[in-house]
Amino acid sequence: MSSIQVQLIASIQAGLSSLFHIEENDLSLQETKKEFEGAYTFVVFPYTKRAAKAPAQIAQALGDYLLENNPQLVKTYQVVQGFLNISLHDSVWYVLLQEIASDDSAFQLAPKNEKIVIEYSSPNTNKPLHLGHLRNNFLGYSVAQILKAGGYEVIKTNLVNDRGIHICKSMLAYQLFGNGETPSSSGLKGDHLVGKYYVAFDKAYKSEIEQLVSTGVDPEKAKAQAPIMLQAQAMLLAWEQGEPSVIQLWETMNAWVLEGFAASYKQMGVDFDKIYRESNTYLLGKKLVDEGLSQGVFYQKPDGSVWINLEDEGLDEKLVLRKDGTSVYITQDMGTAQLKYEDFGAQQSIYVVGNEQDYHFEVLFHILKKLNKPFSLGNYHLSYGMVDLPSGKMKSREGTVVDADDLMQEMVDTARERTLELGKIEGFTEEESNQLFQQLGMGALKYFLLKVDPKKRMLFNPEESIDFQGNTGPFIQYTHTRICSIRRKAIEKGYPLNGETQSKISFAESERELIFLLGTYKSKLAEACENFSPSIIAQYSFDLAKQFNKFYNELTILNEENEEIRTIRLTLADLTGKTIQHATSLLGIVSPERM
């Protein structure tokens, strides 16, 4: 909060006390809507009953009080029903600008002395990453960066689902149809090769179901009796029993996939402080199941399967261990929760997982509480909406997903085409050009997927995302390069980027709006932290870039003859560039300096 806001709030508090005998310690100001005159708005509706006055009367009286008692601060005011819109003197805008320019912690909130573990990505080693995984990874990484800037100690983790029936499906299909194919012999990335056999399993499985149904078997029974599914289930049991040949095949195929994932993560620009593997956590989960059985938290059915009854919590019964003793997803999630707590002792644990798993995490959190574990508190499921395509929902089993590697390369290629069309790389070496195409393509992709509130389902449109105009990553990146160009030219001319001037200078509306926006960055950062929402930072980045372009198009900067005015405008440009660079970095986006 700026010193100006502090003064205004103090004056409004004094006015409420003096005029209406209302003592109020918790006041806040809002940004005045653009269609009205003013910088800050105070809402008076909550005080009508205590003041025994109509909202407009309260606002009018407070406005007069502010003019009389803070004439050096308040220039004028406007009453719109129960809203008091306050306009500030030019000298105040100068003070705000100087405060922003001299704030050494402009991009960092106060330390919270709190540790947060954030788990994201969580891929399966039976298929490559797809468009949905991109939203997951970009969201998890961005939330981690935002929380770090918010003053938290953040640990980024990834739980790789490297075991289970879905993994055995790929393994079995490779065993049946692979003929010794390898990433080297096929020319495919390891994760793509293994994914090929996941699709092959589903094709063979459906064929067997159709054959059984044609002989009169009920469709549901056919799904359970299909020979290839029974083989996959037998392979899972053999894996859990440590059958050497199964373990060897599993290790080989997992190694192929993990190598492929590493290349994909590098292209995405995301990383992790620790990677867990389900194969190392499921046994700990089984121990917790045994512990819960002894405590009466779980119960065993006659067939040997283990369950928990959560009907009192408004849920239902949930399987935690199959009748053959093999674990399910929730088993390893219990084990991983304990491991993360033992490793980091974090006060909060965030799971970035799609909203398809809302019920799963509701159950998991109830189980941990019933087990009375210290890590049962502070768990949060950052549930996000699925990503759709114009053609509809993606399906991994049917091979109708948008591959993450292909999409990232397509975005970079499109960035290359658009940039060359616009002629924005004069004087660039080939290496510099390729780096720019990479930054623009990935910036477009990340911004498009992050600008939507995480909770909302979204439609991905590649063509729209790469545009250099409108609410896109490239538009914001291009604005940053424009500011960098101004900065370079100012330095060449020997102009100060941030110097002292007289406070009597009159500010244009576009300057005041830019100063105001710059002054709200910390509050936007705090809001993004509170809501785990990169979309707040994305929208702010766009608003700031859009306002800078308005300022740039309306006013002269480098050619301004008045030295003090020029210095102020260069200061504004410089602060805007630094803020855009920081805000976009929280989204995992690189803002280039030249284009």
Side-chain angles (χ1 to χ4, degrees), residues 314-500:
L315 304 173
D316 55 15
E317 295 179 305
K318 174 67 179 178
L319 175 73
V320 295
L321 207 64
R322 295 190 185 94
K323 61 183 180 182
D324 61 5
T326 56
S327 60
V328 291
Y329 270 128
I330 211 154
T331 321
Q332 55 88 5
D333 279 339
M334 291 159 55
T336 308
Q338 178 161 324
L339 265 182
K340 287 194 293 188
Y341 185 77
E342 290 173 356
D343 288 342
F344 304 110
Q347 290 90 340
Q348 194 166 9
S349 183
I350 302 171
Y351 296 80
V352 183
V353 183
N355 57 17
E356 297 173 322
Q357 298 298 324
D358 285 353
Y359 178 78
H360 173 89
F361 282 98
E362 193 175 357
V363 170
L364 174 65
F365 298 160
H366 276 299
I367 289 175
L368 296 179
K369 285 177 182 176
K370 284 184 174 291
L371 289 172
N372 199 28
K373 294 296 180 180
F375 48 89
S376 65
L377 304 175
N379 290 309
Y380 180 78
H381 174 205
L382 179 48
S383 173
Y384 63 89
M386 295 294 100
V387 183
D388 292 323
L389 297 165
S391 58
K393 189 177 179 181
M394 301 178 291
K395 296 178 181 177
S396 297
R397 289 187 301 275
E398 297 176 11
T400 59
V401 301
V402 174
D403 180 80
D405 293 322
D406 291 345
L407 179 57
M408 288 190 286
Q409 188 57 52
E410 180 186 330
M411 294 299 293
V412 173
D413 291 343
T414 305
R416 176 185 287 104
E417 292 170 14
R418 295 286 178 88
T419 307
L420 291 174
E421 285 172 8
L422 295 170
K424 294 183 181 294
I425 56 168
E426 290 182 16
F428 276 53
T429 65
E430 184 178 356
E431 183 180 352
E432 289 169 338
S433 297
N434 289 334
Q435 183 181 52
L436 178 63
F437 303 146
Q438 173 77 18
Q439 291 169 348
L440 292 174
M442 292 305 297
L445 181 57
K446 291 180 181 183
Y447 186 82
F448 198 94
L449 293 177
L450 291 175
K451 72 177 181 179
V452 178
D453 183 278
K455 297 180 182 64
K456 292 181 180 178
R457 193 165 188 143
M458 67 176 295
L459 183 71
F460 178 66
N461 185 331
E463 283 297 312
E464 182 183 330
S465 71
I466 202 72
D467 202 333
F468 280 82
Q469 298 298 322
N471 190 2
T472 66
F475 169 73
I476 298 167
Q477 290 171 305
Y478 182 60
T479 301
H480 181 261
T481 62
R482 169 174 277 171
I483 293 170
C484 289
S485 176
I486 293 170
R487 187 185 291 142
R488 285 192 299 271
K489 290 175 182 176
I491 292 171
E492 287 173 7
K493 292 176 178 289
Y495 296 157
L497 294 175
N498 200 336
E500 290 292 328

Side-chain angles (χ1 to χ4, degrees), residues 106 230 256 323 373 555:
L230 295 176
W256 292 344
K323 61 183 180 182
K373 294 296 180 180
L555 304 170

Side-chain angles (χ1 to χ4, degrees), residues 180-396:
E181 186 178 29
T182 67
S184 298
S185 68
S186 66
L188 291 173
K189 271 179 81 222
D191 50 335
H192 287 235
L193 177 62
V194 173
K196 169 183 166 182
Y197 288 100
Y198 185 58
V199 174
F201 176 92
D202 190 63
K203 184 179 179 181
Y205 179 44
K206 285 180 176 176
S207 176
E208 290 185 355
I209 292 171
E210 288 175 7
Q211 290 174 16
L212 288 169
V213 170
S214 69
T215 63
V217 178
D218 178 78
E220 288 304 312
K221 287 185 178 180
K223 290 178 183 178
Q225 294 174 5
I228 197 168
M229 179 59 77
L230 295 176
Q231 286 178 276
Q233 291 169 347
M235 179 176 274
L236 175 60
L237 190 59
W239 183 91
E240 292 214 4
Q241 292 171 347
E243 170 62 39
S245 62
V246 174
I247 295 296
Q248 184 178 11
L249 177 62
W250 170 77
E251 288 177 341
T252 298
M253 294 182 71
N254 265 342
W256 292 344
V257 175
L258 294 175
E259 186 177 354
F261 285 168
S264 297
Y265 289 141
K266 184 177 181 181
Q267 171 76 339
M268 288 180 205
V270 303
D271 57 12
F272 310 94
D273 299 304
K274 180 145 189 177
I275 295 179
Y276 293 96
R277 292 176 63 172
E278 185 182 341
S279 55
N280 294 326
T281 66
Y282 83 103
L283 290 175
L284 182 53
K286 281 187 167 186
K287 287 182 181 178
L288 290 172
V289 170
D290 290 340
E291 185 181 316
L293 271 172
S294 65
Q295 295 173 353
V297 174
F298 305 125
Y299 67 94
Q300 196 164 29
K301 289 189 175 183
D303 65 0
S305 60
V306 181
W307 298 71
I308 186 169
N309 189 332
L310 294 172
E311 291 175 345
D312 290 343
E313 284 74 22
L315 304 173
D316 55 15
E317 295 179 305
K318 174 67 179 178
L319 175 73
V320 295
L321 207 64
R322 295 190 185 94
K323 61 183 180 182
D324 61 5
T326 56
S327 60
V328 291
Y329 270 128
I330 211 154
T331 321
Q332 55 88 5
D333 279 339
M334 291 159 55
T336 308
Q338 178 161 324
L339 265 182
K340 287 194 293 188
Y341 185 77
E342 290 173 356
D343 288 342
F344 304 110
Q347 290 90 340
Q348 194 166 9
S349 183
I350 302 171
Y351 296 80
V352 183
V353 183
N355 57 17
E356 297 173 322
Q357 298 298 324
D358 285 353
Y359 178 78
H360 173 89
F361 282 98
E362 193 175 357
V363 170
L364 174 65
F365 298 160
H366 276 299
I367 289 175
L368 296 179
K369 285 177 182 176
K370 284 184 174 291
L371 289 172
N372 199 28
K373 294 296 180 180
F375 48 89
S376 65
L377 304 175
N379 290 309
Y380 180 78
H381 174 205
L382 179 48
S383 173
Y384 63 89
M386 295 294 100
V387 183
D388 292 323
L389 297 165
S391 58
K393 189 177 179 181
M394 301 178 291
K395 296 178 181 177
S396 297

